[in-house]
Amino acid sequence: MVVSMNKFKPAVVPIFPPPDSEMSELCSVDNSSNPASDLPTVYFITPTYPRREQVAELTRLGQTLLLAKNIHWIIAEDSSFCSPMVSALLKRLQIPYTHIVGPQPLMYKKAKLRYSPRGVSSRRA
């Protein structure tokens, strides 16, 4: 259980939201790379949330992933809509990817916790 730091109204919410309160949406998928010989595919999962540094951090990470062979990058965004900047970045890098969104459940937003659990749903999307 996560407990609010507000001493007048403690909010108690479960650490993991019930499956029926979570929603996820597939933004886009690109599998258009030539697999290298007999190497297995490595699935690299990155949970993220919208902020100023998001595109810069994903750009740096994506450029590093360009050095690896047989990578499939899964970006799970904690948002209610597909970010056009993240989608454009993924297309520009030309790495095979899956871009999904899974917004934060309302139970966490309504609890008004001091430290909001970001990326909770996108980790399981």
Side-chain angles (χ1 to χ4, degrees):
M1 295 285 181
V2 177
V3 180
S4 171
M5 300 310 279
N6 183 349
K7 55 185 168 185
F8 301 110
K9 282 182 163 182
V12 178
V13 293
I15 293 174
F16 295 108
D20 59 337
S21 71
E22 294 182 311
M23 97 173 199
S24 62
E25 178 184 335
L26 180 65
C27 295
S28 57
V29 176
D30 178 18
N31 289 322
S32 63
S33 77
N34 297 329
S37 65
D38 299 333
L39 297 174
T41 301
V42 175
Y43 293 92
F44 193 84
I45 303 169
T46 306
T48 184
Y49 61 94
R51 60 195 182 287
R52 285 186 306 219
E53 313 82 26
Q54 181 185 29
V55 173
E57 289 175 353
L58 291 176
T59 300
R60 188 170 37 248
L61 184 56
Q63 289 173 342
T64 302
L65 292 176
L66 284 171
L67 302 172
K69 302 218 187 275
N70 282 8
I71 288 282
H72 187 92
W73 194 10
I74 300 172
I75 304 278
E77 211 173 349
D78 187 354
S79 176
S80 54
F81 60 91
C82 301
S83 168
M85 289 195 305
V86 172
S87 296
L89 169 71
L90 292 169
K91 288 175 187 165
R92 189 176 69 229
L93 287 171
Q94 298 180 347
I95 298 173
Y97 69 87
T98 302
H99 182 198
I100 57 177
V101 293
Q104 183 183 57
L106 287 175
M107 61 191 291
Y108 293 121
K109 290 181 183 180
K110 289 179 182 176
K112 297 183 181 178
L113 302 171
R114 182 173 179 183
Y115 298 107
S116 181
R118 294 183 178 150
V120 171
S121 290
S122 59
R123 288 183 190 130
R124 300 192 312 175

